[in-house]
Amino acid sequence: MSHSSSLARLRPLRWAALPLLAMLGGCDAVVLNPAGDVAVQQRDLVLIATALMLLIIIPVMALTVLFAWRYRKSNTEAEYDPEFDHSTMLELVIWSAPLLIIICLGAVTWTSTHLLDPYRPIERTAPGQPIATGVKPLEVQVVALDWKWLFIYPEQGIATVNELALPVDRPVEFRLTGTSVMNAFYIPAMAGMIYTMPGMETKLHAVMNREGTFKGLSSHYSGAGFSGMNFPVYALQSNGFDQWVEKVRGSQAGQDKGKGQLTRATFLTVEKPSEYVPAMYFNGVQGGLFDRVVNRCVAENTPCMSDVMMHDRMTGGGDPHKMKVGEGNPPVNNTGPMHGERTKGALEKSPEEIQTSPHQSKEPVPSNGAQEPGEMKNRRMSFLSIPQTPGPQTFGHAGAGRG
């Protein structure tokens, strides 16, 4: 077959590859070209770890090809020594090189894991630029909903849905929680992902160093509307951020993105599952709303988890329903640990402090299930005994004063 005929056969493949090259040309490897100092340090860690591992991977792959070629069957000039079984120099090279790489990789990973801890406040906004004295991080409270993101700015008194704006070169402290299943908050250009869970609060500290519009998303599958949990992130200069805040404050209910005040009742409406939700603006936020979301008590007449736990601590696990409204504070259990005290371990207790557990002599309760495999009764066991949540009337004045 001639050379010209071979090129003629490949010409259709060349044209077929053009669309693929065009699509790849529009890709932005944002993880390798981030806009925030924390993400830059994480990128450097990935590159350093990859380079260290390639120090052993590349030689091994090259030697594999070299040995296969040199000691091929047709090469009769290669030295053949069937009695060879040991080489001290070869053993030193084989074991010392990977060991040194593992030590270096472990040291870099250990230090970076602590320096890039998402709970640790950042100490600089960029290399050689420590945070100035008196600069307060911008607090943003993040709530993962089904299937959208709620951002509350307590300092500015505003809130948004599926739209986030941040000032450039100012530290940001994210406080995150969720209302339903687990989610993962991720802005690739700014920092690594952090999980959000109902009834719990996580934190993330980061900074943006470059103006632009970036993408935020949920990187953990959370149901039917998961693919729509994306939001734009606007990194703005200080005056641009202030203008954006004023735009949200001036929004009115019924306008383009304006939804009025974000109250507890409004939150319960926004919380309902919805997909591909456009951006929303709230020009005011009811005080203490985020803390109520964390404590699972946004709805009226719902006890907060913190109140329930405090009641259990102060009563020693007694029946909370015996407390009625107006009886004042619950009695203190002097035998149990109080707030701020450390619980003694079993080996630290004196003989008179050691008591018999009330459950050791208790007769075992027979299971409600069935022994036969596949019995439908076993599938419904989780609904046989639903725990009763203490009502709000059992806490006296514990919940007073909440926003």
Side-chain angles (χ1 to χ4, degrees), residues 240-264:
F241 177 74
D242 293 339
Q243 293 174 6
W244 179 85
V245 170
E246 291 303 321
K247 180 177 69 172
V248 177
R249 281 179 181 164
S251 63
Q252 300 295 326
Q255 293 182 351
D256 181 20
K257 300 180 181 179
K259 301 297 177 181
Q261 296 273 326
L262 181 60
T263 62
R264 293 166 62 181

mmCIF file of all heavy atoms in Angstrom, residues 240-264:
data_model
loop_
_atom_site.group_PDB
_atom_site.id
_atom_site.type_symbol
_atom_site.label_atom_id
_atom_site.label_comp_id
_atom_site.label_asym_id
_atom_site.label_seq_id
_atom_site.Cartn_x
_atom_site.Cartn_y
_atom_site.Cartn_z
ATOM 1 N N GLY A 240 -17.284 46.749 44.844
ATOM 2 C CA GLY A 240 -18.242 45.946 44.090
ATOM 3 C C GLY A 240 -19.065 45.047 44.995
ATOM 4 O O GLY A 240 -20.270 44.857 44.767
ATOM 5 N N PHE A 241 -18.436 44.485 46.026
ATOM 6 C CA PHE A 241 -19.189 43.664 46.982
ATOM 7 C C PHE A 241 -20.200 44.509 47.742
ATOM 8 O O PHE A 241 -21.346 44.068 47.964
ATOM 9 C CB PHE A 241 -18.219 42.985 47.950
ATOM 10 C CG PHE A 241 -18.891 42.175 49.025
ATOM 11 C CD1 PHE A 241 -19.480 40.954 48.731
ATOM 12 C CD2 PHE A 241 -18.942 42.648 50.333
ATOM 13 C CE1 PHE A 241 -20.117 40.210 49.723
ATOM 14 C CE2 PHE A 241 -19.562 41.909 51.319
ATOM 15 C CZ PHE A 241 -20.153 40.688 51.018
ATOM 16 N N ASP A 242 -19.809 45.696 48.144
ATOM 17 C CA ASP A 242 -20.744 46.587 48.857
ATOM 18 C C ASP A 242 -21.940 46.931 47.964
ATOM 19 O O ASP A 242 -23.082 47.001 48.451
ATOM 20 C CB ASP A 242 -20.024 47.866 49.290
ATOM 21 C CG ASP A 242 -18.964 47.601 50.355
ATOM 22 O OD1 ASP A 242 -19.052 46.553 51.037
ATOM 23 O OD2 ASP A 242 -18.048 48.427 50.491
ATOM 24 N N GLN A 243 -21.701 47.157 46.687
ATOM 25 C CA GLN A 243 -22.810 47.450 45.770
ATOM 26 C C GLN A 243 -23.736 46.246 45.637
ATOM 27 O O GLN A 243 -24.961 46.403 45.566
ATOM 28 C CB GLN A 243 -22.251 47.849 44.409
ATOM 29 C CG GLN A 243 -21.499 49.162 44.403
ATOM 30 C CD GLN A 243 -20.838 49.458 43.076
ATOM 31 O OE1 GLN A 243 -21.020 48.726 42.093
ATOM 32 N NE2 GLN A 243 -20.041 50.530 43.024
ATOM 33 N N TRP A 244 -23.160 45.051 45.592
ATOM 34 C CA TRP A 244 -23.989 43.843 45.509
ATOM 35 C C TRP A 244 -24.844 43.693 46.756
ATOM 36 O O TRP A 244 -26.026 43.322 46.672
ATOM 37 C CB TRP A 244 -23.094 42.621 45.323
ATOM 38 C CG TRP A 244 -23.827 41.326 45.247
ATOM 39 C CD1 TRP A 244 -24.398 40.753 44.149
ATOM 40 C CD2 TRP A 244 -24.093 40.432 46.335
ATOM 41 N NE1 TRP A 244 -24.999 39.555 44.485
ATOM 42 C CE2 TRP A 244 -24.825 39.331 45.815
ATOM 43 C CE3 TRP A 244 -23.780 40.448 47.698
ATOM 44 C CZ2 TRP A 244 -25.245 38.270 46.621
ATOM 45 C CZ3 TRP A 244 -24.198 39.393 48.493
ATOM 46 C CH2 TRP A 244 -24.924 38.316 47.955
ATOM 47 N N VAL A 245 -24.268 43.975 47.931
ATOM 48 C CA VAL A 245 -25.027 43.893 49.183
ATOM 49 C C VAL A 245 -26.187 44.879 49.162
ATOM 50 O O VAL A 245 -27.327 44.538 49.546
ATOM 51 C CB VAL A 245 -24.100 44.159 50.391
ATOM 52 C CG1 VAL A 245 -24.920 44.316 51.675
ATOM 53 C CG2 VAL A 245 -23.089 43.033 50.548
ATOM 54 N N GLU A 246 -25.937 46.104 48.704
ATOM 55 C CA GLU A 246 -27.001 47.102 48.650
ATOM 56 C C GLU A 246 -28.091 46.690 47.666
ATOM 57 O O GLU A 246 -29.270 46.961 47.883
ATOM 58 C CB GLU A 246 -26.421 48.465 48.271
ATOM 59 C CG GLU A 246 -25.551 49.087 49.345
ATOM 60 C CD GLU A 246 -26.291 49.240 50.665
ATOM 61 O OE1 GLU A 246 -27.498 49.588 50.633
ATOM 62 O OE2 GLU A 246 -25.682 49.005 51.727
ATOM 63 N N LYS A 247 -27.698 46.028 46.576
ATOM 64 C CA LYS A 247 -28.703 45.549 45.610
ATOM 65 C C LYS A 247 -29.619 44.516 46.258
ATOM 66 O O LYS A 247 -30.847 44.545 46.062
ATOM 67 C CB LYS A 247 -28.004 44.955 44.392
ATOM 68 C CG LYS A 247 -28.973 44.428 43.334
ATOM 69 C CD LYS A 247 -28.237 43.902 42.114
ATOM 70 C CE LYS A 247 -27.484 42.629 42.429
ATOM 71 N NZ LYS A 247 -26.923 41.992 41.211
ATOM 72 N N VAL A 248 -29.044 43.616 47.050
ATOM 73 C CA VAL A 248 -29.864 42.605 47.727
ATOM 74 C C VAL A 248 -30.737 43.263 48.790
ATOM 75 O O VAL A 248 -31.925 42.930 48.936
ATOM 76 C CB VAL A 248 -28.965 41.513 48.344
ATOM 77 C CG1 VAL A 248 -29.812 40.504 49.120
ATOM 78 C CG2 VAL A 248 -28.154 40.805 47.271
ATOM 79 N N ARG A 249 -30.181 44.221 49.530
ATOM 80 C CA ARG A 249 -30.964 44.920 50.560
ATOM 81 C C ARG A 249 -32.128 45.694 49.963
ATOM 82 O O ARG A 249 -33.193 45.803 50.557
ATOM 83 C CB ARG A 249 -30.060 45.875 51.330
ATOM 84 C CG ARG A 249 -29.182 45.214 52.386
ATOM 85 C CD ARG A 249 -28.322 46.245 53.061
ATOM 86 N NE ARG A 249 -27.455 45.652 54.071
ATOM 87 C CZ ARG A 249 -26.395 46.254 54.593
ATOM 88 N NH1 ARG A 249 -26.082 47.482 54.178
ATOM 89 N NH2 ARG A 249 -25.663 45.650 55.505
ATOM 90 N N GLY A 250 -31.923 46.231 48.780
ATOM 91 C CA GLY A 250 -32.974 47.029 48.153
ATOM 92 C C GLY A 250 -33.994 46.214 47.388
ATOM 93 O O GLY A 250 -34.959 46.783 46.864
ATOM 94 N N SER A 251 -33.794 44.906 47.307
ATOM 95 C CA SER A 251 -34.763 44.080 46.582
ATOM 96 C C SER A 251 -36.077 44.014 47.339
ATOM 97 O O SER A 251 -36.108 43.971 48.568
ATOM 98 C CB SER A 251 -34.193 42.668 46.384
ATOM 99 O OG SER A 251 -33.992 42.027 47.633
ATOM 100 N N GLN A 252 -37.158 44.008 46.622
ATOM 101 C CA GLN A 252 -38.487 43.953 47.206
ATOM 102 C C GLN A 252 -39.188 42.664 46.782
ATOM 103 O O GLN A 252 -38.915 42.117 45.718
ATOM 104 C CB GLN A 252 -39.318 45.163 46.763
ATOM 105 C CG GLN A 252 -38.719 46.500 47.164
ATOM 106 C CD GLN A 252 -38.686 46.689 48.666
ATOM 107 O OE1 GLN A 252 -39.574 46.216 49.389
ATOM 108 N NE2 GLN A 252 -37.665 47.386 49.154
ATOM 109 N N ALA A 253 -40.072 42.203 47.644
ATOM 110 C CA ALA A 253 -40.835 40.995 47.334
ATOM 111 C C ALA A 253 -41.640 41.204 46.065
ATOM 112 O O ALA A 253 -42.284 42.237 45.879
ATOM 113 C CB ALA A 253 -41.750 40.646 48.494
ATOM 114 N N GLY A 254 -41.581 40.217 45.190
ATOM 115 C CA GLY A 254 -42.311 40.293 43.936
ATOM 116 C C GLY A 254 -41.494 40.816 42.784
ATOM 117 O O GLY A 254 -41.917 40.723 41.636
ATOM 118 N N GLN A 255 -40.301 41.397 43.068
ATOM 119 C CA GLN A 255 -39.436 41.853 41.997
ATOM 120 C C GLN A 255 -38.672 40.684 41.405
ATOM 121 O O GLN A 255 -38.931 39.533 41.732
ATOM 122 C CB GLN A 255 -38.488 42.929 42.522
ATOM 123 C CG GLN A 255 -39.187 44.222 42.914
ATOM 124 C CD GLN A 255 -38.213 45.289 43.379
ATOM 125 O OE1 GLN A 255 -37.026 45.031 43.564
ATOM 126 N NE2 GLN A 255 -38.715 46.496 43.566
ATOM 127 N N ASP A 256 -37.674 40.986 40.548
ATOM 128 C CA ASP A 256 -36.964 39.971 39.782
ATOM 129 C C ASP A 256 -36.499 38.818 40.663
ATOM 130 O O ASP A 256 -36.920 37.683 40.500
ATOM 131 C CB ASP A 256 -35.773 40.619 39.080
ATOM 132 C CG ASP A 256 -34.999 39.629 38.229
ATOM 133 O OD1 ASP A 256 -35.578 38.589 37.886
ATOM 134 O OD2 ASP A 256 -33.837 39.900 37.915
ATOM 135 N N LYS A 257 -35.625 39.091 41.616
ATOM 136 C CA LYS A 257 -35.126 38.060 42.516
ATOM 137 C C LYS A 257 -35.543 38.290 43.960
ATOM 138 O O LYS A 257 -35.234 37.480 44.827
ATOM 139 C CB LYS A 257 -33.587 38.007 42.454
ATOM 140 C CG LYS A 257 -33.028 37.686 41.080
ATOM 141 C CD LYS A 257 -31.506 37.665 41.116
ATOM 142 C CE LYS A 257 -30.923 37.378 39.734
ATOM 143 N NZ LYS A 257 -29.418 37.377 39.762
ATOM 144 N N GLY A 258 -36.216 39.373 44.220
ATOM 145 C CA GLY A 258 -36.579 39.728 45.582
ATOM 146 C C GLY A 258 -37.674 38.850 46.163
ATOM 147 O O GLY A 258 -38.685 38.575 45.506
ATOM 148 N N LYS A 259 -37.473 38.422 47.408
ATOM 149 C CA LYS A 259 -38.451 37.582 48.098
ATOM 150 C C LYS A 259 -38.821 38.134 49.466
ATOM 151 O O LYS A 259 -39.507 37.467 50.241
ATOM 152 C CB LYS A 259 -37.897 36.159 48.270
ATOM 153 C CG LYS A 259 -37.546 35.463 46.960
ATOM 154 C CD LYS A 259 -38.767 35.260 46.092
ATOM 155 C CE LYS A 259 -38.397 34.629 44.760
ATOM 156 N NZ LYS A 259 -39.570 34.438 43.885
ATOM 157 N N GLY A 260 -38.370 39.349 49.773
ATOM 158 C CA GLY A 260 -38.722 39.939 51.060
ATOM 159 C C GLY A 260 -37.845 39.441 52.189
ATOM 160 O O GLY A 260 -36.658 39.156 52.011
ATOM 161 N N GLN A 261 -38.420 39.322 53.373
ATOM 162 C CA GLN A 261 -37.696 38.906 54.573
ATOM 163 C C GLN A 261 -37.598 37.389 54.652
ATOM 164 O O GLN A 261 -38.535 36.676 54.281
ATOM 165 C CB GLN A 261 -38.404 39.438 55.818
ATOM 166 C CG GLN A 261 -38.442 40.953 55.926
ATOM 167 C CD GLN A 261 -37.197 41.510 56.594
ATOM 168 O OE1 GLN A 261 -36.633 40.884 57.477
ATOM 169 N NE2 GLN A 261 -36.779 42.686 56.162
ATOM 170 N N LEU A 262 -36.456 36.905 55.166
ATOM 171 C CA LEU A 262 -36.299 35.477 55.406
ATOM 172 C C LEU A 262 -36.617 35.205 56.877
ATOM 173 O O LEU A 262 -35.775 35.327 57.758
ATOM 174 C CB LEU A 262 -34.870 35.020 55.082
ATOM 175 C CG LEU A 262 -34.593 33.522 55.275
ATOM 176 C CD1 LEU A 262 -35.500 32.684 54.379
ATOM 177 C CD2 LEU A 262 -33.133 33.203 55.011
ATOM 178 N N THR A 263 -37.857 34.855 57.135
ATOM 179 C CA THR A 263 -38.303 34.530 58.487
ATOM 180 C C THR A 263 -38.333 33.013 58.659
ATOM 181 O O THR A 263 -38.050 32.262 57.731
ATOM 182 C CB THR A 263 -39.704 35.107 58.729
ATOM 183 O OG1 THR A 263 -40.624 34.500 57.797
ATOM 184 C CG2 THR A 263 -39.717 36.617 58.520
ATOM 185 N N ARG A 264 -38.692 32.585 59.852
ATOM 186 C CA ARG A 264 -38.787 31.142 60.090
ATOM 187 C C ARG A 264 -39.857 30.516 59.198
ATOM 188 O O ARG A 264 -39.661 29.433 58.644
ATOM 189 C CB ARG A 264 -39.087 30.890 61.569
ATOM 190 C CG ARG A 264 -37.947 31.280 62.490
ATOM 191 C CD ARG A 264 -38.361 31.337 63.942
ATOM 192 N NE ARG A 264 -38.809 30.030 64.435
ATOM 193 C CZ ARG A 264 -39.244 29.826 65.676
ATOM 194 N NH1 ARG A 264 -39.294 30.839 66.547
ATOM 195 N NH2 ARG A 264 -39.617 28.621 66.061
#
